[in-house]
Amino acid sequence: YYTWYFPIVGSVPYKGYFVRQGAIDQAESLQKDGYDTYILGVTAFSTLGWFKDPVLSSMMAYEEYELVNTIIHETVHATLYISSNAGFNERLATYLGDLGTHIFYEQKQKNHPLLDEIKKDSEDSKLFGEYISARVKKLEQWYKDHKDDPKILELREKEFQSIKDDYRKEVIPKLKTDKYKRFADGELNNARLMGYKLYVNDLSDFTKLSEKFKQNFEEILKYCKSLEDSKDPEKSLKEFVSNP
């Protein structure tokens, strides 16, 4: 199962295929229209509650706690998915996947040996997310400043290289796991960055929401479900967590 990303605001910025060639054909078609694309193999997905989602054989290669996290992440999607708000949906599932995994092992065994690994993984995700959020924001401003430059596509390659170079210097030495160590090894474009932004961009409002509900998973999800009719769930969430 493969998916590709492309920079369209206000819609689902990825599409899944069960056959790789379908993803390749679509990517090539988008590239002809001037879009950046990125093809990524994925091992899990949700039908958003339409069907019962199985645990796939492709998920069996995960570490145990990664499997737990993935199941929770996809179950969040099956429970709540707000139309045309992919960023909100994915970041909510990412946050609750991490929180739920921690709660699962805490309840399973006090001082469970995997809790230390889960903590390191979560800290790396936070570090990576903060870096990506800051650099994407900076890149968006760069595009605005250079929108009329005929050499913008050529010049932006230096910006992509800067993101990778700075990552090697500023982030990799601080990482405690191997999860994000190869980020700077691959080619960068808007589509790949959008994929990361979609999942790990600033999760601070979800952290504040968790604190507000004292890490009560059920209450957090219940509140987020109340945002289903909101025109801008991210704005509504920010306003809610900002109030004492």
Side-chain angles (χ1 to χ4, degrees), residues 62-80 88-106 114-115 117-119 121-123 125 179-180 199-200 203 206-207 209-210 215-218 220-221 224:
Y62 291 176
E63 295 291 341
E64 181 186 284
Y65 71 89
E66 293 176 325
L67 178 60
V68 172
N69 192 312
T70 299
I71 291 173
I72 296 172
H73 180 112
E74 302 303 345
T75 303
V76 169
H77 283 325
T79 305
L80 168 64
F88 178 88
N89 295 321
E90 294 296 356
R91 287 191 286 278
L92 170 64
T94 294
Y95 184 81
L96 288 181
D98 289 346
L99 176 63
T101 301
H102 185 83
I103 293 172
F104 174 81
Y105 283 103
E106 271 195 332
L114 281 177
L115 284 172
E117 289 302 312
I118 293 168
K119 181 181 178 182
D121 191 282
S122 180
E123 289 174 350
S125 293
K179 188 173 181 179
Y180 297 105
Y199 286 86
V200 299
L203 298 175
F206 290 114
T207 301
L209 181 67
S210 179
Q215 295 192 324
N216 185 310
F217 192 99
E218 184 177 354
I220 295 169
L221 192 55
C224 289

Side-chain angles (χ1 to χ4, degrees), residues 34 36 142-143 146 149-158 160 190:
D36 281 358
W142 184 90
Y143 278 124
H146 294 78
D149 194 324
K151 294 184 178 180
I152 187 171
L153 294 180
E154 178 183 338
L155 293 173
R156 72 174 187 164
E157 294 305 317
K158 294 181 179 179
F160 290 145
N190 291 339

Side-chain angles (χ1 to χ4, degrees), residues 20-66:
R20 189 173 189 271
Q21 190 58 48
I24 293 173
D25 291 344
Q26 181 65 82
E28 290 176 348
S29 176
L30 285 165
Q31 289 166 8
K32 289 178 182 177
D33 292 331
Y35 289 105
D36 281 358
T37 63
Y38 179 58
I39 297 175
L40 175 70
V42 295
T43 53
F45 62 94
S46 171
T47 59
L48 308 184
W50 286 98
F51 306 101
K52 291 183 178 180
D53 295 323
V55 174
L56 305 172
S57 59
S58 54
M59 297 161 65
M60 292 297 98
Y62 291 176
E63 295 291 341
E64 181 186 284
Y65 71 89
E66 293 176 325

Side-chain angles (χ1 to χ4, degrees), residues 104-142:
F104 174 81
Y105 283 103
E106 271 195 332
Q107 293 181 347
K108 190 174 183 180
Q109 176 186 328
K110 186 177 181 181
N111 298 320
H112 194 289
L114 281 177
L115 284 172
D116 185 53
E117 289 302 312
I118 293 168
K119 181 181 178 182
K120 291 178 181 177
D121 191 282
S122 180
E123 289 174 350
D124 278 2
S125 293
K126 184 175 184 293
L127 181 65
F128 180 77
E130 289 174 347
Y131 180 81
I132 290 297
S133 299
R135 293 309 296 252
V136 167
K137 185 176 181 180
K138 182 178 178 181
L139 185 61
E140 287 171 345
Q141 184 58 52
W142 184 90

